[in-house]
Amino acid sequence: MRSDKWHLTEDVDDFLARAGEFLRSRPALHTTQLTAIEKLRTGGEDARGSLFGRLESQGEVRAVFFRRPTLRLLPSALSPAQADSLAARLLDGGHVAGGVLADDATADAFVEVWRRRTGAVPVRDWGARLHRLGTLTPPAPVPAGRGRPVGERNHEHLMRWCREFAADVGEAVTIDAGTWAGTRFAEKRYTYWETPDGTPVSMAGSNPLVGGQVRIDPVYTPAASRGRGYAGAVTVDASRAALAAGATDVVLFTDPANRTSNALYRRIGYLPLADFTGYAFRQPADQR
């Protein structure tokens, strides 16, 4: 009987040829890997430091991981035994993990085995709830105005709103004309909700269609325009566009502690799917 075995490669095309079907089999749960790998494959991110792996058993792929150039691992769902075998395979090959981002159970399992094997101290630095669209349900009543695609003439305004969004959620990123192409905001399509006089009051971004899924991100309404239904309306508009483009799964992440946004997305048809957590690994000396 063939035993489970992790196969590692630095070749993204080879990895996708062997493990792409597995990723596409659960596009909602694999949204982060699908989107990040596509950006790397198309040259939107420097590939140096990337590593890919698939766990095979009986000739079938059972699990995968992607290590980003930042050295953070993005594994699919792993059992504790699979997490342990991945940690062992990485260490046997002299590979470093700077952190992990995965569903809660997988993240906890990998954190435990990596700490046990290396002494690294995990520092939780991200958490979110993944939602998948069920039946799209426009808000009632729909606020006055309409959605429209954001064009090049709105680029300066769009960058300002992305800066404001990043500040709101605590992202340390520089967003201006010189850095825009290298940020995670650049590859998205954006929709504005504008009032009848043409004033933008809210925006929603959406990642490119990959593997059947589109992720809505970010959704932002300036503070002065909040509480009027604009975020729900623009998210519905962006979600409708994703479905029209052929997405089978439309997803988004929320802060589980934000009851307002979670309730909003539930009303327009998004259902909780799984909670995800990110950890950075620090050596004990780094904590001094």
Side-chain angles (χ1 to χ4, degrees), residues 125-126 161-175 182-186 188 190 215 217-219 253:
D125 59 6
W126 189 81
W161 273 13
C162 287
R163 283 194 296 272
E164 292 173 7
F165 168 82
D168 275 3
V169 300
E171 288 189 29
V173 59
T174 300
I175 302 173
T183 70
R184 73 176 188 85
F185 299 95
K188 305 173 189 291
Y190 290 89
R215 188 168 70 250
D217 169 66
V219 177
F253 282 107

Side-chain angles (χ1 to χ4, degrees), residues 6 22-23 26 29-30 33 53-55 61-66 73-79 82-83 86 100-103 105-107 110 276:
W6 284 98
F22 174 85
L23 284 171
R26 305 180 77 182
L29 287 173
H30 297 154
Q33 294 96 332
R54 69 188 190 279
L55 179 65
V61 177
R62 306 294 186 182
V64 301
F65 81 89
F66 163 45
L73 298 181
L74 304 178
S76 62
L78 303 176
S79 69
Q82 290 171 337
L86 173 57
V100 63
L101 190 158
D103 65 273
T106 297
F110 190 83
F276 283 71

Side-chain angles (χ1 to χ4, degrees), residues 255-274:
D255 177 355
N258 189 326
R259 294 184 178 180
T260 299
S261 65
N262 282 275
L264 163 65
Y265 295 125
R266 184 65 177 264
R267 288 195 300 272
I268 63 175
Y270 282 87
L271 304 175
L273 186 59

Side-chain angles (χ1 to χ4, degrees), residues 4-234:
D4 293 0
K5 182 177 181 180
W6 284 98
H7 301 267
L8 308 188
T9 180
E10 296 179 359
D11 186 330
V12 62
D13 292 319
D14 176 67
F15 171 74
L16 288 174
R18 299 174 185 273
E21 183 177 351
F22 174 85
L23 284 171
R24 294 187 295 271
S25 69
R26 305 180 77 182
L29 287 173
H30 297 154
T31 178
T32 304
Q33 294 96 332
L34 285 165
T35 301
I37 292 172
E38 180 66 8
K39 184 174 182 179
L40 185 146
R41 186 189 69 81
T42 57
E45 185 172 354
D46 189 340
R48 287 175 295 182
S50 298
L51 185 68
F52 309 89
R54 69 188 190 279
L55 179 65
E56 285 193 0
S57 177
Q58 303 297 316
E60 293 188 13
V61 177
R62 306 294 186 182
V64 301
F65 81 89
F66 163 45
R67 189 185 68 183
R68 304 195 71 161
T70 60
L71 303 184
R72 177 161 298 202
L73 298 181
L74 304 178
S76 62
L78 303 176
S79 69
Q82 290 171 337
D84 189 63
S85 68
L86 173 57
R89 178 68 178 85
L90 290 171
L91 292 169
D92 287 348
H95 299 293
V96 175
V100 63
L101 190 158
D103 65 273
D104 282 1
T106 297
D108 290 346
F110 190 83
V111 160
E112 177 58 31
V113 299
W114 196 255
R115 175 168 47 192
R116 172 166 50 82
R117 288 177 174 273
T118 69
V121 177
V123 179
R124 187 179 186 274
D125 59 6
W126 189 81
R129 179 163 295 151
L130 179 66
H131 300 252
R132 179 172 55 196
L133 181 62
T135 300
L136 187 61
T137 307
V142 177
R146 67 183 184 97
R148 70 165 176 85
V150 177
E152 183 60 32
R153 65 186 178 86
N154 305 117
H155 190 57
E156 288 293 332
H157 183 269
L158 175 65
M159 286 194 298
R160 175 162 62 83
W161 273 13
C162 287
R163 283 194 296 272
E164 292 173 7
F165 168 82
D168 275 3
V169 300
E171 288 189 29
V173 59
T174 300
I175 302 173
D176 56 33
T179 62
W180 174 257
T183 70
R184 73 176 188 85
F185 299 95
E187 76 269 22
K188 305 173 189 291
R189 295 179 59 185
Y190 290 89
T191 300
Y192 278 163
W193 189 265
E194 60 183 19
T195 57
D197 67 359
T199 301
V201 288
S202 189
M203 76 169 182
S206 58
N207 287 322
L209 174 65
V210 183
Q213 61 80 39
V214 168
R215 188 168 70 250
I216 304 298
D217 169 66
V219 177
Y220 175 69
T221 306
S225 298
R226 293 172 188 169
R228 304 178 190 181
Y230 298 140
V234 76

